[in-house]
Amino acid sequence: MVSLQAVRTHNTSLKDLGSGLVAVFVGGTSGIGLYTAREFVRRTLSPTIYLVGRNETRAGDIIAGLKLLNEGAQIYFIKADASLLMEVDSACDVIQRQVSHVNVLFLSCGIFTLNRREETTEGLDRRFSLHYYTRMRFIHNLIPQLTCAGRNEHGLSRVVSVLGAGHETKLHLDDLDLRERYGVEACDVHATTMTSLMVKEFALRYPSTTFIHTYPGIVKSGIAREAGPVVSRVIRAAMFLGRLWMVSKQESGERHLFAATSRQFSPGTKAAVGGITGGAYLLNWDVSEAGNRGLLDDYYTHGVSDQVWMHTQETFRKALGNKGRLRQ
């Protein structure tokens, strides 16, 4: 565990990196994405921030609040339904036209729903897409900008996906997209385990960037906003009962900013994933190491991570045509 004091000491030093840092927050208009964006704006010098989300009205209020924290910040909202890979591509096109580098790509988009499989027009389940495919697509698209950032003077190039690190469970290897075995639990298991495998795959291919998968702990966020009134009330009641164990909004933002910027997680060092050399890390809410090592090591040994990489590539191709191919 990294102490909160150590986290705050580090975060207050971020202005030493100078101006010009660029961060993209997918899901940055609510929950952990917003809490982390707020700390990033507060602690950095004249950053450029992109918030990707659906609610333009809410985004306007958020941007006004963030500007009060840092008048030198340039903050932009990109409206997109991130459950659609086509809109992910459009959002990335906007970013790529405006900046040559991205220092931090922060991925926290998601929904809580007990609905059955809900297919998008691209043939993907909406929940699964937001929790996994969307995030992998953002990483894939912005790799050139992340790589450029990794070659800059301070070398900060970081991807953080907030989901369920440490809660990896066996996959249905013959049904990775869950067309036959879909369920809320199965969706969570697949998104979590596949993300933990993919951070290593990306780190092996792009060694100038660090790739992190975190488990946020219990944090109040807006993820239950589409769960329906009954389920939402149950979730609020559970959070009230568990409030003594909850991570505060500010602490969550502070700790995720630490994960997104600390040299402790630099690329090219010993990773917390399978003992490889490279910038892949699985982290708990308190920034300690996480991960179901036994399962993940077995999957690495038997080529399952490569299978997941190829499945993701094929899914992009089916949804988007030849434009959807992953870089090798």
Side-chain angles (χ1 to χ4, degrees):
M1 175 178 179
V2 179
S3 72
L4 187 55
Q5 182 57 52
V7 165
R8 289 173 174 168
T9 298
H10 163 79
N11 290 350
T12 57
S13 73
L14 290 179
K15 285 184 173 62
D16 294 342
L17 294 178
S19 61
L21 293 180
V22 178
V24 178
F25 293 88
V26 183
T29 57
S30 65
I32 295 167
L34 173 57
Y35 310 152
T36 308
R38 186 177 291 138
E39 294 303 316
F40 191 95
V41 170
R42 189 197 313 273
R43 298 301 185 185
T44 56
L45 185 64
S46 300
T48 296
I49 307 292
Y50 291 92
L51 304 176
V52 181
R54 292 184 299 166
N55 192 327
E56 193 165 6
T57 301
R58 177 173 171 78
D61 295 337
I62 289 169
I63 290 173
L66 293 177
K67 290 288 286 185
L68 293 176
L69 296 175
N70 188 338
E71 292 183 355
Q74 299 295 315
I75 307 171
Y76 305 97
F77 174 67
I78 301 176
K79 186 176 181 180
D81 179 356
S83 68
L84 295 173
L85 301 182
M86 177 176 60
E87 295 207 18
V88 172
D89 285 0
S90 295
C92 291
D93 286 344
V94 172
I95 296 166
Q96 290 170 320
R97 287 196 300 268
Q98 296 182 4
V99 295
S100 61
H101 69 278
V102 171
N103 298 98
V104 175
L105 172 59
F106 196 89
L107 304 158
S108 59
C109 52
I111 55 173
F112 182 90
T113 173
L114 298 179
N115 295 340
R116 297 179 180 179
R117 185 180 178 92
E118 180 186 350
E119 287 204 359
T120 67
T121 56
E122 296 172 337
L124 301 175
D125 172 68
R126 184 163 172 254
R127 177 186 176 106
F128 201 177
S129 184
L130 283 168
H131 290 193
Y132 177 72
Y133 296 109
T134 285
R135 301 177 186 213
M136 297 305 110
R137 188 66 181 173
F138 267 105
I139 298 171
H140 162 258
N141 286 351
L142 295 177
I143 278 293
Q145 287 68 42
L146 289 160
T147 300
C148 180
R151 294 170 178 165
N152 288 347
E153 182 179 356
H154 47 66
L156 176 60
S157 177
R158 196 75 47 96
V159 174
V160 180
S161 185
V162 183
L163 193 60
H167 294 77
E168 299 83 8
T169 310
K170 287 186 177 180
L171 299 169
H172 298 297
L173 296 177
D174 60 344
D175 187 26
L176 287 176
D177 56 5
L178 296 174
R179 292 190 176 277
E180 302 298 327
R181 300 181 180 87
Y182 184 84
V184 172
E185 183 178 1
C187 181
D188 289 345
V189 165
H190 273 229
T192 292
T193 307
M194 290 164 70
T195 296
S196 290
L197 294 171
M198 285 293 280
V199 294
K200 174 183 176 180
E201 291 299 315
F202 274 113
L204 288 171
R205 289 166 171 80
Y206 305 104
S208 62
T209 298
T210 296
F211 299 87
I212 297 175
H213 177 196
T214 76
Y215 171 68
I218 305 173
V219 185
K220 186 176 181 180
S221 69
I223 197 169
R225 60 190 175 275
E226 297 185 41
V230 176
V231 176
S232 293
R233 284 196 295 270
V234 171
I235 293 173
R236 286 195 296 270
M239 285 189 169
F240 177 78
L241 294 172
R243 62 192 182 280
L244 294 177
W245 296 273
M246 288 182 68
V247 184
S248 72
K249 297 177 182 180
Q250 181 174 345
E251 181 176 351
S252 178
E254 289 173 320
R255 288 189 177 279
H256 278 95
L257 177 60
F258 179 86
T261 57
S262 171
R263 291 186 180 277
Q264 182 174 333
F265 308 113
S266 297
T269 59
K270 184 179 173 68
V273 181
I276 66 168
T277 297
Y281 299 85
L282 306 182
L283 302 177
N284 209 335
W285 71 270
D286 59 359
V287 209
S288 60
E289 292 186 6
N292 183 343
R293 288 291 193 87
L295 175 71
L296 293 174
D297 286 349
D298 182 67
Y299 275 174
Y300 300 141
T301 300
H302 292 91
V304 174
S305 57
D306 186 61
Q307 182 180 342
V308 170
W309 177 275
M310 297 302 294
H311 160 78
T312 306
Q313 173 178 319
E314 180 63 13
T315 299
F316 289 167
R317 188 194 65 77
K318 287 179 179 178
L320 298 168
N322 286 331
K323 183 183 176 183
R325 289 190 177 277
L326 275 170
R327 294 180 181 84
Q328 295 299 318

